[in-house]
Amino acid sequence: MEGHWDGSKPGDFHIFAWPDEKAEKNLFEISIPRGSSLILTHDPNGLFPGLKSVRPSERPPVVSVFFAFRIMLAIGFFMIAAAVFGAFLWWRGKLFDTRWYLRIVAFTWWTGFVAVISGWVVTESGRQPWLVHGILRTADAISPVPAASIAGTLALFVLCYGIVFSMGIYYINRLIAQGPKGRALEESEGMPSRPLTAAGAAAGDAISGRH
């Protein structure tokens, strides 16, 4: 995740880099000096093992883990910032009048799914070549299942989840485009006293096509 090769010196936190696994170094680094040491050891001069301390055959794929981790972090910080700023706008009574903010959050609601998938890539790719580190390797845990069966099952999963995900995107975007309508606005003109009830009412209106 850190793209840290040499464990004999403090680690920088690489905001961006391209890990070169063959040359065992990073290209195009944009880094915070000693940032990783401070995060991981709470000491800017702290040391932690580098990738060179592990044989190449024992290392996970570095590039995919490195970038998936940063995508997850970037989305996480974006969501925190959006939530804090939204709370500030709500406190000032300007949340529903700040159109540029509403437009941003309306078009970025799906980034949470990307963060989850990125975290899954970090976890599953980052533990390779082990299923259980030091005990069971992935190569030793392969089931004796024909490749055609695995390919067919994978294709069905991709198809089913593709349909479900597409319908989910369509449905959520429809809710966002419609905004609160009908019963969702009946209780008050401001913030609803029972927001979950209002959300349920808006969802019911969207499904039935009421405006």
Side-chain angles (χ1 to χ4, degrees), residues 3 5 12 14-18 25-31 66:
W5 296 94
D12 300 339
H14 305 303
I15 299 172
F16 177 84
W18 187 272
K25 65 179 183 179
N26 296 324
L27 307 176
F28 317 114
E29 289 184 357
I30 301 175
S31 307
F66 182 87

Side-chain angles (χ1 to χ4, degrees), residues 19 53 55-56 60 77 82-83 86 89 108 119 129 132 137 147 164 178 184:
S53 65
R55 296 196 309 271
F77 281 119
L89 291 175
T108 56
V132 182
R137 296 176 68 92
V164 171
Q178 286 185 353

Side-chain angles (χ1 to χ4, degrees), residues 146-167:
S149 298
I150 295 175
T153 302
L154 178 61
L156 289 174
F157 268 108
V158 171
L159 177 63
C160 291
Y161 276 97
I163 293 173
V164 171
F165 193 68
S166 299
M167 293 299 294

Side-chain angles (χ1 to χ4, degrees), residues 126-180:
R127 66 186 173 131
Q128 300 304 318
W130 299 95
L131 284 182
V132 182
H133 185 75
I135 298 176
L136 180 63
R137 296 176 68 92
T138 303
D140 298 327
I142 298 175
S143 302
V145 179
S149 298
I150 295 175
T153 302
L154 178 61
L156 289 174
F157 268 108
V158 171
L159 177 63
C160 291
Y161 276 97
I163 293 173
V164 171
F165 193 68
S166 299
M167 293 299 294
I169 291 176
Y170 170 78
Y171 172 65
I172 294 174
N173 281 334
R174 183 174 176 180
L175 283 177
I176 293 172
Q178 286 185 353

Side-chain angles (χ1 to χ4, degrees), residues 21-108:
E21 297 183 52
K22 291 184 178 180
E24 297 185 330
K25 65 179 183 179
N26 296 324
L27 307 176
F28 317 114
E29 289 184 357
I30 301 175
S31 307
I32 300 174
R34 303 175 184 262
S36 287
S37 290
L38 184 62
I39 293 171
L40 297 174
T41 69
H42 310 295
D43 180 358
N45 296 313
L47 302 179
F48 58 94
L51 286 164
K52 290 182 180 180
S53 65
V54 181
R55 296 196 309 271
S57 61
E58 301 293 320
R59 297 173 192 165
V62 179
V63 174
S64 59
V65 175
F66 182 87
F67 282 106
F69 179 65
R70 275 147 187 79
I71 291 171
M72 182 178 64
L73 277 184
I75 293 175
F77 281 119
F78 165 75
M79 294 174 74
I80 292 171
V84 171
F85 189 69
F88 171 75
L89 291 175
W90 174 78
W91 175 64
R92 293 291 302 274
K94 297 181 179 180
L95 177 60
F96 300 111
D97 298 322
T98 310
R99 295 182 63 85
W100 65 265
Y101 172 80
L102 297 176
R103 186 174 296 275
I104 289 174
V105 295
F107 284 103
T108 56

